[in-house]
Amino acid sequence: MKFTATLGAVAATLALGVNAQGCSQTIVRKEIRNVSPDEWSYYSYALYRMNKNGWFAWYSSIHDRNAGDIHGVAVFLPWHREFANQFELTARQFYPYFALPYWDAARDFSFPIASPVLTYKYLGGDGNRANNGCVTNGPQVGWTMGYPNNACLHRRFSNGDGTIPSWQSPEDVTRLIQTSSSFGAFAPGLEGGIHAAVHNGIGGDMATMWSPNDVAFFLHHANIDRIWWKWQNSRSGNMYSYSGRNSNGSSAQLSDNIPVFGGSVQSKMVVGQNSYCYSYDDNGSLSKRDDMVPSTNTPVISNPQMNLATALSYSLLQKYFPLLADSSPANTNSVDLPNGVSQKATQFANAAAKIIEDIVNNSHHASSHSSASASAPSAYAVSLAASSSNANNSTAVKVPVVSDTIASSTVATANSVNLEAPPVAAAANSSSSDLSQLTSNYKMPYPARIPEHWLTMHGIDLAVYEAEYQKSIQFVDDLNNAGYVSPYI
């Protein structure tokens, strides 16, 4: 390993676009499950060549040697935005069409081990306990990592039995975006939340400061950057919001210098200018994957218990999703609800369709049930049956506005219906126990607690972490008690 040569190469990479204000061409970072097999094959070969040329060792070394200055402090997000961007630019030296994918891990929150991302198709799975935790499949099988010594890539899924505990859901990420009115409130919740959970869940090298050995690191941090970018665009005033402390105890300022790479924090704040010539594909149509339902399946999107705007009372919307409850119109950047619903969620939607139709029809004073079809209607029909009701009716239950994505349906519903009307679960409590009994089998799990030693290693304030963790626990309790069923359960 010759760091002199690689430092010269990274200097050339750093020079790319450093003085540019606009981007002549913008690449699209795709969620890894949206990357085609051919694309992933080309990307994987580029990553293989990068490792052969010492780049993974270089990035791991930089991350490890500067760990105390870039974790648990304000610069965590801008520094890692730059870090992932430089990795992407380096990869393009080996494959000019490389676009760093992101892994929306929250989508896999309830049972991460079942994610196709953690199979041979994408990132590979757990390490082999009988062989020092070396990975046995995926793009990095057989690699020799050069830092901190020559060894295989190690993974040790954190339950210790080849599984991973639950972590934060897309709904919880959306809660963080909507309830954080300042950078100082948002950044610690993100760093100690889904960011920490994925690192700790995968374990092995990912649980160390040389975590950039694992390709999963870069896909994960592309996602962390995507979430931050959504938060930056969720409110006016968020774009350049920056506060907190630096590693030396001083107050963080936009004029602060970025460790290692140079340039001010302010120069790292906007995606789509300077060298940050990328965007994200997180507003596509309902996706399909091995453990997901076909894109033509609509019962989940139109089920009122699976839409935040219709499943929750107005008081809960104000508490957890104030930008849905009080903004007019709601901002789509404040909703991070991906497309790709689990088979279990579809199972619930289909089972609940007839029960919900009866409740909705009763609340809207619809015609006799005797005219209904003997077969259970789709949840899409339920929404259509109620769509002619007065949006200002305070007694009729709320039903979703059906759209082609979960996010757009949630926002359109928040902008269209009377949010103070009762949720369907509230109506069910007074008319039928069938729905509550069914819902009880589809409750959201709690995110696992991050070990104290990992938090301390990353400089994360334990009191701040505990406060944020308790918010997540209360959030899960409140959504479960409200009868909400996650599309990602």
Side-chain angles (χ1 to χ4, degrees), residues 77-154:
L77 287 174
W79 192 90
H80 283 84
R81 171 173 285 173
E82 178 68 17
F83 191 62
N85 190 51
Q86 291 305 325
F87 180 86
E88 183 176 60
L89 293 174
T90 303
R92 273 186 236 149
Q93 296 181 9
F94 298 90
Y95 179 61
Y97 304 105
F98 186 93
L100 181 62
Y102 67 92
W103 173 26
D104 189 356
R107 177 169 153 177
D108 306 304
F109 85 102
S110 65
F111 194 43
I113 191 61
S115 173
V117 175
L118 297 176
T119 68
Y120 72 94
K121 291 184 178 181
Y122 298 109
L123 295 179
D126 197 10
N128 182 355
R129 305 299 167 84
N131 186 29
N132 199 31
C134 297
V135 295
T136 60
N137 57 18
Q140 293 182 271
V141 64
W143 286 20
T144 298
M145 312 310 299
Y147 187 88
N149 46 53
N150 289 336
C152 66
L153 174 69
H154 300 102

Side-chain angles (χ1 to χ4, degrees), residues 111-114 126 129 156-166 201-202:
F111 194 43
I113 191 61
D126 197 10
R129 305 299 167 84
R156 183 179 177 84
F157 289 174
S158 61
N159 267 345
D161 59 358
T163 63
I164 301 172
S166 301
I202 291 177

Side-chain angles (χ1 to χ4, degrees), residues 300-465:
V300 168
I301 286 182
S302 56
N303 187 301
Q305 283 191 269
M306 308 181 86
N307 182 303
L308 292 171
T310 55
L312 305 184
S313 67
Y314 186 56
S315 61
L316 282 181
L317 288 172
Q318 289 179 308
K319 180 179 180 179
Y320 292 123
F321 306 105
L323 300 185
L324 288 179
D326 300 326
S327 295
S328 183
N331 185 338
T332 55
N333 286 304
S334 69
V335 176
D336 191 25
L337 302 174
N339 291 300
V341 297
S342 67
Q343 294 284 2
K344 188 174 181 180
T346 305
Q347 180 186 56
F348 169 80
N350 288 329
K354 183 66 172 82
I355 302 171
I356 291 174
E357 184 198 30
D358 290 343
I359 295 169
V360 170
N361 284 344
N362 286 337
S363 74
H364 287 264
H365 308 290
S367 59
S368 170
H369 298 311
S370 62
S371 62
S373 169
S375 60
S378 70
Y380 180 70
V382 172
S383 288
L384 288 183
S387 63
S388 61
S389 297
N390 188 335
N392 294 318
N393 189 331
S394 61
T395 59
V397 299
K398 298 182 285 187
V399 293
V401 174
V402 176
S403 184
D404 61 343
T405 71
I406 296 172
S408 62
S409 175
T410 302
V411 170
T413 302
N415 290 336
S416 303
V417 308
N418 175 18
L419 296 177
E420 296 186 55
V424 69
N429 289 337
S430 62
S431 64
S432 171
S433 62
D434 292 346
L435 188 59
S436 59
Q437 290 175 355
L438 178 63
T439 303
S440 67
N441 297 318
Y442 296 87
K443 291 185 179 295
M444 296 171 68
Y446 295 130
R449 184 184 289 276
I450 304 301
E452 186 173 316
H453 71 83
W454 193 95
L455 297 169
T456 302
M457 179 177 69
H458 284 76
I460 295 174
D461 186 294
L462 297 181
V464 172
Y465 168 78

Side-chain angles (χ1 to χ4, degrees), residues 1-7 49-61 65 144-150 213:
M1 175 54 47
K2 296 188 177 181
F3 285 105
T4 304
T6 55
L7 281 169
R49 293 179 63 201
M50 283 179 67
N51 188 56
K52 282 291 188 180
N53 282 271
W55 281 105
F56 275 81
W58 190 87
Y59 280 104
S60 290
S61 170
R65 294 174 184 180
T144 298
M145 312 310 299
Y147 187 88
N149 46 53
N150 289 336
N213 276 349

